[in-house]
Amino acid sequence: MEELLRMEGISKSFSGVRVLNRVELTVKQGEVHALLGENGAGKSTLIKILGGAYTKDEGTIYIEGNKTEITSVESSRSHGIRVIHQELMLIPYMTVAENIFLGQEPKTKRGTVDTAKMNRDTAAFLKEMELDIQPDEQVGRLNIAKQQMVEIAKALSTHARILIMDEPTSALTAREIEDLFRIIHNLKEKGCGIVYISHRLEELQSIVDRVTIMRDGQYITTMNFEDTTLDEIISN
């Protein structure tokens, strides 16, 4: 599989305290890569560097083989990276379509927002994801699972290639988790690379291809999921 992302020797300090020490992470096309570690392992800091919220002190980032500097959230997104946070970043009083196209609204010849096109394009995204959500529904009236799907659709509308999902199942029911995993499998088939952060290790066997483990701000190991066991993952 083609390598979408490589992070090598990533280090980061705050007020003289090193929180990441030469960490590495690779993500391939069409794979779900679990990033695991206890609280304080450095997962969030690494993801914030990838998402542009923090800048690295040391190390190198390659996107599709090209050395890349990520200096802001905007530059991260320009490289096809989107972070789907545990706290969803949607505006509840706006519609599904308005949230998905926020900041990139299609315009009519008169320069006004082309609501009809926005709704049509949103309907196409939602149909592709096999979601029973209407473009003109107010986001605040949707349950958490559907809001999460809207967040994913928003990421795909920007042609994201690398998705980071931070504890995506923490507020979902068993049925809603099944729907999320179906979406994830579809994204894999389309060639997206997904970084999946979760403390629910029992979920990994349904979707994960490889696992990277971190501890105390350091890289420990990367393993193929099918070649290991949950006990081995926990012991690392």
Side-chain angles (χ1 to χ4, degrees):
M1 290 186 288
E2 176 189 348
E3 190 173 88
L4 293 179
L5 167 71
R6 176 176 290 273
M7 304 177 79
E8 293 182 341
I10 304 298
S11 298
K12 180 68 178 178
S13 298
F14 295 104
S15 302
V17 177
R18 179 162 285 206
V19 295
L20 291 181
N21 184 25
R22 301 192 59 77
V23 173
E24 61 184 75
L25 175 69
T26 61
V27 179
K28 298 178 181 179
Q29 182 179 6
E31 84 161 344
V32 176
H33 194 125
L35 181 61
L36 304 178
E38 296 181 355
N39 291 336
K43 305 185 303 296
S44 294
T45 301
L46 185 67
I47 291 311
K48 286 179 179 178
I49 289 171
L50 184 58
Y54 295 158
T55 54
K56 59 183 172 57
D57 295 337
E58 301 173 7
T60 309
I61 299 174
Y62 298 91
I63 305 293
E64 298 185 77
N66 299 311
K67 186 176 180 180
T68 302
E69 290 296 330
I70 297 177
T71 57
S72 66
V73 173
E74 290 73 22
S75 68
S76 173
R77 291 180 176 179
S78 74
H79 292 293
I81 302 166
R82 288 296 293 263
V83 181
I84 299 173
H85 297 278
Q86 192 171 358
E87 298 80 21
L88 300 177
M89 311 292 283
L90 299 171
I91 300 176
Y93 60 81
M94 297 178 71
T95 68
V96 170
E98 287 168 341
N99 269 278
I100 288 177
F101 282 92
L102 186 63
Q104 52 177 359
E105 297 87 352
K107 298 296 177 64
T108 66
K109 293 180 179 179
R110 296 181 179 181
T112 58
V113 174
D114 192 338
T115 302
K117 176 174 172 50
M118 193 163 62
N119 285 338
R120 285 196 306 272
D121 290 350
T122 297
F125 283 129
L126 299 174
K127 182 178 180 181
E128 184 177 349
M129 294 174 67
E130 301 178 25
L131 295 177
D132 184 22
I133 303 174
Q134 299 304 312
D136 57 357
E137 287 188 78
Q138 189 174 334
V139 162
R141 295 179 179 175
L142 300 175
N143 64 27
I144 293 298
K146 287 189 174 182
Q147 288 186 29
Q148 194 167 55
M149 301 308 177
V150 171
E151 191 81 88
I152 295 172
K154 183 176 180 178
L156 296 179
S157 75
T158 62
H159 308 291
R161 298 285 316 279
I162 301 167
L163 295 181
I164 297 98
M165 296 186 174
D166 185 5
E167 300 286 353
T169 63
S170 60
L172 305 187
T173 66
R175 175 59 187 273
E176 290 165 347
I177 290 172
E178 288 181 11
D179 289 339
L180 174 64
F181 286 179
R182 175 180 54 78
I183 299 292
I184 289 174
H185 281 295
N186 289 342
L187 293 175
K188 286 177 61 174
E189 291 178 0
K190 296 178 187 303
C192 286
I194 299 170
V195 179
Y196 189 91
I197 301 172
S198 178
H199 286 94
R200 297 181 174 183
L201 298 185
E202 68 279 2
E203 296 175 354
L204 302 185
Q205 58 192 354
S206 300
I207 53 170
V208 168
D209 299 291
R210 290 193 298 153
V211 175
T212 286
I213 298 174
M214 294 177 62
R215 185 189 309 126
D216 298 328
Q218 299 194 64
Y219 168 84
I220 302 301
T221 188
T222 296
M223 302 176 285
N224 291 325
F225 187 79
E226 65 181 6
D227 297 332
T228 188
T229 65
L230 291 183
D231 286 341
E232 288 175 329
I233 291 173
I234 292 169
S235 68
N236 277 287

